[in-house]
Amino acid sequence: MQELEHLIPDLIELAQDAGARIMAIYEAGFDVTHKSDLTPVTEADLAAHHAILAGLEILTPGLPVLSEESEEIPFSERSRWRTYWLVDPLDGTREFIKRNGEFTVNIALIEEHEPILGVVYAPVSGVCYYAARGLGAFKRGKDGATSQIQVKSRCDARLIVAGSRSHPSTSFRAFLSKISDYEVITLGSSLKSCLVAEGKVDIYPRLGPTSEWDTAAAQCIVEQAGGLLTDLSLQPLRYNTKESLLNPHFVVFGDCSRNWQQYF
């Protein structure tokens, strides 16, 4: 636990450095290409990826790193990893392309299939969320002012629901149809989960495709803030357990006394 605490300042600095590289490209202009799965990628994704990989190699030499922008690593190799870094250098590439500022740098440390440390940094606002197992969850402003955050443990009658700005779905609309009174906040990237962690949102249902690097850092933050990020059977997501790196549909919430399954 003490080792985790000592890693946090360096990880925040590394995320900020990656964010600075992203912002330089964001402000200068950029081209967009597409991967084989048709998801967009920009030079900002790659610049942040290389900066984070280099920084983690200095910070924890020899510890494996799995990044969205890494070459594909077969499960036969990954399955031997007990502890590794899981990174999304630019979470919310579509938001980056739209220039709405709703993108993040996500860095998580995974041990025995569970996220034990997470940093989510938003380059445009300069806000950083971070957490480590047993140490709590925190929000750090651009000015460095830091406060511990907690989920809202009891929902009000009017539910505050986070929804994806770039990935609306019929399943999400069906979820809303089962709630009598709600307000929807649409946002990009893992910032939605972080809003649950700081008690500004009651629930974030993600009923569409995501990958493991999209959720790991935020899951640690949510859990250390007193909430949960689970599949639709309310089992916490686990990492690097199979060939595919796709997540199941998931839900993020703070009020653990409520029967959320009734809405799915």
Side-chain angles (χ1 to χ4, degrees):
M1 187 182 302
Q2 194 68 16
E3 290 181 2
L4 292 181
E5 189 171 13
H6 288 160
L7 285 171
I8 289 171
D10 289 322
L11 285 178
I12 292 174
E13 186 175 340
L14 183 54
Q16 290 172 331
D17 175 60
R21 295 168 189 263
I22 290 169
M23 290 305 296
I25 295 167
Y26 188 67
E27 291 164 357
F30 49 87
D31 295 322
V32 180
T33 57
H34 289 81
K35 305 177 193 177
S36 58
D37 63 0
L38 301 182
T39 56
V41 63
T42 71
E43 57 191 295
D45 296 78
L46 299 175
H49 164 77
H50 291 302
I52 293 169
L53 256 61
L56 291 176
E57 178 59 31
I58 294 170
L59 188 60
T60 54
L63 198 62
V65 181
L66 180 62
S67 166
E68 180 176 10
E69 307 310 331
S70 298
E71 292 185 15
E72 186 172 335
I73 301 172
F75 184 60
S76 58
E77 179 180 343
R78 288 189 282 112
S79 63
R80 297 193 294 268
W81 295 353
R82 177 177 177 271
T83 305
Y84 68 100
W85 293 105
L86 182 55
V87 175
D88 193 342
L90 203 174
D91 181 28
T93 300
R94 287 181 172 84
E95 316 311 325
F96 178 87
I97 293 166
K98 293 175 185 176
R99 308 184 72 87
N100 65 21
E102 297 170 0
F103 50 86
T104 60
V105 176
N106 300 347
I107 304 174
L109 183 63
I110 309 296
E111 184 176 81
E112 299 293 357
H113 312 294
E114 298 177 356
I116 62 170
L117 188 157
V119 171
V120 173
Y121 175 65
V124 169
S125 67
V127 170
C128 184
Y129 299 88
Y130 64 91
R133 179 177 287 176
L135 298 175
F138 299 85
K139 179 181 180 180
R140 173 174 169 161
K142 188 174 185 178
D143 61 358
T146 302
S147 58
Q148 189 164 2
I149 57 174
Q150 288 187 313
V151 298
K152 188 163 63 174
S153 59
R154 287 292 183 272
C155 298
D156 298 325
R158 184 178 179 85
L159 282 182
I160 310 299
V161 182
S164 175
R165 188 179 295 283
S166 293
H167 303 275
S169 69
T170 55
S171 297
F172 181 71
R173 290 190 287 272
F175 167 83
L176 292 177
S177 71
K178 298 176 183 178
I179 302 172
S180 58
D181 190 12
Y182 63 86
E183 175 188 347
V184 175
I185 296 175
T186 55
L187 199 64
S189 72
S190 55
L191 290 171
K192 297 182 288 296
S193 295
C194 291
L195 288 185
V196 176
E198 63 176 313
K200 291 184 177 179
V201 164
D202 294 307
I203 184 168
Y204 162 40
R206 181 55 187 261
L207 307 175
T210 59
S211 296
E212 294 188 359
W213 43 71
D214 293 314
T215 54
Q219 181 172 344
C220 181
I221 292 164
V222 169
E223 289 176 346
Q224 294 305 307
L228 289 172
L229 190 157
T230 74
D231 62 23
L232 299 189
S233 298
L234 304 187
Q235 296 301 308
L237 296 195
R238 289 171 57 80
Y239 295 86
N240 196 29
T241 62
K242 60 189 188 306
E243 186 75 45
S244 172
L245 290 165
L246 291 177
N247 287 323
H249 292 178
F250 66 85
V251 59
V252 188
F253 56 90
D255 186 348
C256 299
S257 69
R258 193 166 184 135
N259 177 21
W260 293 110
Q261 284 182 299
Q262 67 182 302
Y263 302 115
F264 298 111

